[in-house]
């Protein structure tokens, strides 16, 4: 089935409840080819032109869920949302970037999805189309955390992102399992209007993590009315704060009144913590530069 509008896609999914929507298919087809998924039918979203661009509304960019990584990586989009463009350019080889879409990255919710920490740091909102013309909005973090899920026949149509007109960065370290698969990724977004820093860490947990205490602490050290610079020691401390929040030390063994020896993180977890600390330090440093 190849609908031409969002409403037609919702109708097709309602008519065949076991059908699965597909846009770029980079994740779905991998599951099909590996035998992990056998959909009764596919509803292709590639012909829905309304979700392949973006518009502006009330200080937000309204991004179509059908935007490909390749399109988001171009200079005009990078001028709009730099961190999301950087994540799109890091999403994989050209064939993946040309096919993979923003909506697919969100719905598949792979822990290593490059767009996810950026959307979490930007506090993006999803616009979801449902049966009988129903539409609802949902914070992207709620979907990624499992606090809410897509209901039967619903389709993510748009992603609403605040336009902060401020520096933002995305950095990623890749693993040995693939040249583009993230071992860890960090998005840092400055919010000068609220005198805040937003940070989200990807790939180290099933969903992006927001180290809120680290964000609040570092924001108090920034001279928002001046040059916004920070001492190298503060940047290093921020990186370590973020890493400890996302990859904490294990709890002591035994009861609280008689704890056993403090367990140690395994070497792989320590390496991951150091990687997150480095990415967070560099990400904030570049945003403030």
């Amino acid at each position: 089935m190849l609908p031409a509008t969002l409403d037609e896609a919702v109708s097709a999914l309602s008519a065949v409840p076991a059908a699965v929507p597909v846009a770029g298919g980079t994740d779905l087809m991998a599951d099909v080819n590996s035998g992990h998924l056998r959909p009764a039918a596919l509803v292709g979203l590639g012909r829905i032109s309304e979700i392949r661009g973006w518009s502006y509304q009330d200080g937000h960019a309204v991004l179509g869920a059908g935007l490909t990584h390749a399109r988001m990586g171009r200079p005009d989009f990078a001028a709009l949302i730099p961190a999301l463009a950087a994540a799109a350019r890091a999403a994989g080889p050209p064939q993946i970037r040309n096919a993979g879409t923003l909506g697919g990255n969100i719905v598949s919710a792979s822990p290593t999805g490059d767009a996810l920490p950026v959307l979490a740091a930007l506090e993006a909102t999803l616009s979801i189309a449902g049966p009988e013309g129903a539409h609802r909005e949902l914070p992207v973090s709620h979907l990624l955390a499992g606090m809410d899920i897509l209901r039967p026949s619903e389709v993510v149509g748009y992603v609403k992102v605040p336009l902060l007109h401020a520096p933002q960065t995305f950095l990623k370290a890749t693993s040995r399992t693939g040249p583009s698969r993230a071992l860890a990724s960090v998005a840092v977004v400055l919010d000068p209007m609220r005198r805040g820093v937003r940070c989200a860490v990807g790939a180290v947990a099933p969903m992006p993590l927001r180290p809120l205490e680290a964000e609040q602490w570092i924001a108090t050290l920034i001279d928002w009315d001046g040059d916004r610079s920070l001492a190298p020691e503060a940047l290093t401390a921020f990186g370590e704060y973020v890493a400890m929040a996302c990859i904490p030390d294990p709890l002591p063994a035994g009861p609280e009144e008689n704890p056993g020896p403090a367990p140690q993180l395994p070497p792989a977890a320590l390496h991951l913590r150091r990687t997150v600390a480095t990415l967070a330090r560099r990400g904030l440093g570049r945003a403030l530069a």
Side-chain angles (χ1 to χ4, degrees):
M1 290 175 266
L2 295 172
T5 67
L6 270 179
D7 289 339
E8 288 181 8
V10 170
S11 296
L13 291 169
S14 299
V16 185
V20 175
V22 57
T26 54
D27 289 324
L28 183 141
M29 295 312 297
D31 288 338
V32 170
N33 293 336
S34 65
H36 294 150
L37 182 65
R38 286 288 182 266
L42 296 177
V43 176
L45 308 179
R47 291 188 179 180
I48 305 178
S49 59
E50 63 189 283
I51 61 171
R52 298 182 69 84
W54 67 83
S55 60
Y56 306 96
Q57 179 183 356
D58 301 327
H60 292 71
V62 182
L63 312 178
L67 275 169
T68 64
H69 299 304
R71 183 65 189 89
M72 290 188 291
R74 294 181 187 175
D76 57 342
F77 190 92
L80 186 70
I81 311 174
L84 193 53
R89 289 193 291 266
Q95 61 268 31
I96 296 294
R97 297 198 305 271
N98 288 334
T101 63
L102 178 61
N105 215 209
I106 295 167
V107 174
S108 62
S110 168
T112 57
D114 292 316
L116 304 187
V118 179
L119 296 175
L122 290 169
E123 298 181 350
T125 301
L126 305 179
S127 177
I128 299 170
E132 300 180 357
H135 287 79
R136 66 185 180 108
E137 292 196 346
L138 172 69
V140 69
S141 58
H142 286 200
L143 181 68
L144 298 177
M147 299 167 63
D148 202 340
I149 60 174
L150 290 182
R151 299 165 187 167
S153 306
E154 284 189 332
V155 177
V156 174
Y158 301 93
V159 182
K160 194 174 180 181
V161 177
L163 290 175
L164 300 176
H165 303 294
Q168 49 188 252
T169 58
F170 171 82
L171 295 175
K172 145 177 162 176
T174 57
S175 70
R176 294 179 180 178
T177 58
S180 62
R181 185 170 296 275
L183 173 68
S185 60
V186 172
V188 176
V189 175
L190 301 188
D191 189 350
M193 290 293 293
R194 296 179 176 84
R195 296 178 177 242
V197 174
R198 302 185 203 161
C199 176
V201 178
V204 302
M207 59 167 288
L209 302 177
R210 287 281 301 275
L212 298 178
E213 291 184 359
E215 293 177 1
Q216 294 162 3
W217 170 73
I218 199 65
T220 65
L221 302 183
I222 297 174
D223 180 8
W224 294 101
D225 297 318
D227 61 4
R228 301 182 191 170
S229 62
L230 281 176
E233 296 80 7
L235 291 173
T236 298
F238 172 72
E240 294 174 351
Y241 201 163
V242 170
M244 284 289 293
C246 296
I247 308 170
D249 288 327
L251 295 174
E256 185 174 332
E257 63 275 9
N258 187 26
Q264 301 294 313
L265 281 175
L270 287 172
H271 173 67
L272 185 60
R273 181 192 279 176
R274 289 192 293 269
T275 300
V276 170
T278 300
L279 294 177
R281 170 176 57 82
R282 291 177 179 173
L284 179 59
R286 293 183 186 183
L288 293 171

